[in-house]
Amino acid sequence: PALTGQPLVGGALAVTVGTFTPAATVGYQWFLAGTAVPGATGPAFTPATGDVGKLLTVQVTASATGYAAWSRTLTAGAVALVPIDLALSLQTVAAGGRLVVTASGLTPGGEVELVLHSTPVTLATVTASQAGTIEVTVTIPAGTAAGAHTLAVTDLQTGATASAALTVTATGLAGTGAG
């Protein structure tokens, strides 16, 4: 048997088996951390958020009348969150300025929160597209201190987070006051 797919939340894994001669009845049982997953008795399985960190395996069995039973256990690995791919249109922005945040690897149709850190400030909460992506323009609050900050994107369904460094500069002067 062969196992395809990665043990990622929301990503399907599948087992393929060759043919048996004589024809055999094939069975499947998926396990998380050594415990059988109720109802997970088919050739495919999709891990959920609650499975993160647990070792995922599948036992494949085959039986045919008059033959010894056959069994193999395949290990997929520990279930992990899908990594979020995050990009900022600017790495330096003035306080009060705007930048575009794009991300992929999010839950399709799920809520996504964008937070500016050092002192956490929620910049936006948006809904990911059906492709699991966002592209949103955010405004850095005018009162944000100049210096190094981090912009974090969190998938509120899975808890997966990605962050990118951002330098905030002081707001430019509107005029010199001379005259």
Side-chain angles (χ1 to χ4, degrees):
L3 184 60
T4 58
Q6 298 294 317
L8 299 172
V9 171
L13 291 97
V15 176
T16 55
V17 294
T19 56
F20 289 91
T21 304
T25 300
V26 178
Y28 307 88
Q29 178 62 63
W30 293 86
F31 293 83
L32 285 164
T35 302
V37 178
T41 56
F45 182 77
T46 302
T49 303
D51 304 333
V52 170
K54 297 177 183 173
L55 182 65
L56 177 63
T57 60
V58 59
Q59 182 179 39
V60 182
T61 58
S63 60
T65 304
Y67 291 85
W70 175 90
S71 177
R72 294 289 184 276
T73 299
L74 304 174
T75 300
V79 176
L81 295 171
V82 175
I84 296 172
D85 184 22
L86 172 63
L88 306 179
S89 63
L90 301 169
Q91 280 66 53
T92 301
V93 63
R98 297 166 44 140
L99 70 142
V100 177
V101 178
T102 57
S104 61
L106 302 162
T107 301
E111 293 297 304
V112 179
E113 184 177 54
L114 292 82
V115 177
L116 179 66
H117 292 274
S118 299
T119 302
V121 176
T122 299
L123 300 177
T125 301
V126 298
T127 302
S129 71
Q130 289 306 309
T133 62
I134 62 166
E135 182 173 332
V136 60
T137 300
V138 295
T139 301
I140 303 303
T144 303
H149 294 270
T150 302
L151 196 147
V153 172
T154 302
D155 183 320
L156 296 179
Q157 281 59 55
T158 66
T161 299
S163 60
L166 179 67
T167 301
V168 176
T169 59
T171 304
L173 299 175
T176 63

